Amino acid sequence: DLLEEPREMENTLPQPFDRSRVAGRLTFDNASFRYHGSENFALRDITLDVQPGETIALVGPSGAGKTTLCNLAARFYDPTRGAVLLDNRDLREVNVESYRRLIGVVEQDVFLFDGTIRENIAYARRRCSEEEIIGAANAAAADDFIRGLPDGYDTVIGERGVKLSGGQRQRIAIARAILADPKILILDEATSNLDSESERLIQSALHELLQDRTAIVIAHRLSTITEADQIVVVEDGEVVEVGSHDELLLQGGRYRDMVHLQMQEGTAT
Ligand code: ADP
């Protein structure tokens, strides 16, 4: 009888996530969000279900709410109404630190600090071997250019060292994320125009990074997302279309218009 007695603390203390038991299903259940002090809702009634390992791509005009949606997924904010859940557990009921350890965020403006390439890649993982660092750089299509630098992995970058191109910086950031091995990845794809070789290398690096983890991608170049499991068109805080690339093209709505527009601009492939 004593064992069956409900333990009070269990319900009141936020429970940590046990990484090995996380499948990675991310659900938005009627989530709405209003920034503090703001009159309007930045997101309204968002309902999305991302299965473990799936990639969803968010597209839509600037100010639509894509970043805000990612902020809720990363639990930088809690929804004003509704809920965000991981494996059916409301994020409000779990320990924030343990949740953050499961997620990786790769932002547009790649953050690299003054230090060696090796330190920059290993930054998210305290203990890792040389093989793991090189393995991650390889997967991120960065190993070749790193070996071509004056001191290879010991090359200092930033103010005091070599300057890397935008594409190279992104591949370092992707190598870092691959090494960190998050269960949930939030990726704000870079908008910068890259030459086609860089673009090709980054696509292959991203492909590697997105394997076997749940991912939310803010896509700026529609060419990146044709393979996404779900493409979510966000406009004015609401989801207006959801489907695969082929489904949405057939549907002939907002997504198809965007694809046509990018083709006219010559940015889509
Ligand atoms: P997107 O990423 O699609 O460009 P955002 O999620 O950044 O859109 O913005 C959605 C809406 O929320 C916009 O109207 C924006 O002005 C507003 N917003 C974004 N960040 C804040 C903030 N920190 N405080 C108040 N309003 C914000």
Side-chain angles (χ1 to χ4, degrees):
D1 284 352
L2 195 62
L3 287 173
E4 275 167 15
E5 196 73 21
R7 271 183 284 171
E8 270 175 50
M9 295 307 277
E10 225 162 46
N11 296 324
T12 52
L13 270 186
Q15 297 290 302
F17 269 115
D18 175 355
R19 185 192 159 92
S20 63
R21 295 168 76 178
V22 169
R25 176 180 174 198
L26 195 63
T27 312
F28 284 76
D29 182 13
N30 254 299
S32 297
F33 180 74
R34 190 171 55 195
Y35 283 100
H36 187 72
S38 173
E39 285 188 2
N40 300 319
F41 276 84
L43 290 175
R44 279 190 303 274
D45 299 327
I46 305 294
T47 293
L48 291 170
D49 196 15
V50 194
Q51 296 300 321
E54 271 192 356
T55 297
I56 65 159
L58 307 177
V59 296
S62 168
K66 304 180 297 292
T67 310
T68 306
L69 211 151
C70 290
N71 287 343
L72 294 191
R75 219 195 149 193
F76 293 139
Y77 300 100
D78 284 325
T80 314
R81 292 196 306 250
V84 182
L85 307 101
L86 180 66
D87 295 348
N88 295 324
R89 287 171 70 184
D90 191 325
L91 293 186
R92 276 178 287 230
E93 288 160 18
V94 295
N95 174 284
V96 182
E97 291 308 312
S98 77
Y99 181 62
R100 293 269 166 75
R101 278 196 291 273
L102 301 176
I103 63 173
V105 183
V106 177
E107 290 180 279
Q108 254 187 55
D109 296 317
V110 172
F111 164 69
L112 299 179
F113 52 85
D114 251 9
T116 66
I117 300 249
R118 176 184 288 102
E119 287 161 354
N120 268 280
I121 295 176
Y123 154 82
R125 277 258 308 266
R126 250 168 270 155
R127 275 186 293 275
C128 57
S129 68
E130 185 71 10
E131 285 73 32
E132 286 174 309
I133 293 172
I134 294 171
N138 244 320
D143 182 66
D144 276 355
F145 93 76
I146 294 170
R147 287 182 195 277
L149 294 171
D151 296 310
Y153 282 82
D154 293 315
T155 305
V156 173
I157 48 178
E159 300 262 294
R160 297 183 291 120
V162 298
K163 219 173 134 38
L164 301 178
S165 74
Q168 289 171 333
R169 295 171 67 84
Q170 281 175 30
R171 279 178 280 151
I172 299 272
I174 293 169
R176 178 191 282 167
I178 289 174
L179 189 64
D181 195 22
K183 286 274 184 187
I184 309 251
L185 180 78
I186 295 167
L187 172 72
D188 192 354
E189 191 192 53
T191 42
S192 54
N193 276 326
L194 301 162
D195 60 82
S196 55
E197 175 63 2
S198 270
E199 171 94 35
R200 190 184 63 76
L201 290 170
I202 285 173
Q203 290 304 334
S204 106
L206 286 181
H207 184 78
E208 196 61 37
L209 178 62
L210 296 175
Q211 289 292 313
D212 303 323
R213 59 184 110 244
T214 310
I216 305 185
V217 181
I218 298 182
H220 299 286
R221 288 160 296 163
L222 300 180
S223 54
T224 315
I225 57 164
T226 50
E227 287 175 30
D229 298 286
Q230 303 181 54
I231 294 169
V232 177
V233 183
V234 187
E235 267 179 15
D236 201 17
E238 290 180 296
V239 171
V240 294
E241 284 175 24
V242 184
S244 69
H245 175 76
D246 290 340
E247 284 165 1
L248 292 185
L249 278 187
L250 268 178
Q251 200 171 305
R254 296 292 298 125
Y255 179 71
R256 197 195 52 182
D257 293 347
M258 291 165 71
V259 172
H260 284 178
L261 197 67
Q262 282 210 354
M263 265 154 54
Q264 278 162 16
E265 289 166 354
T267 49
T269 51

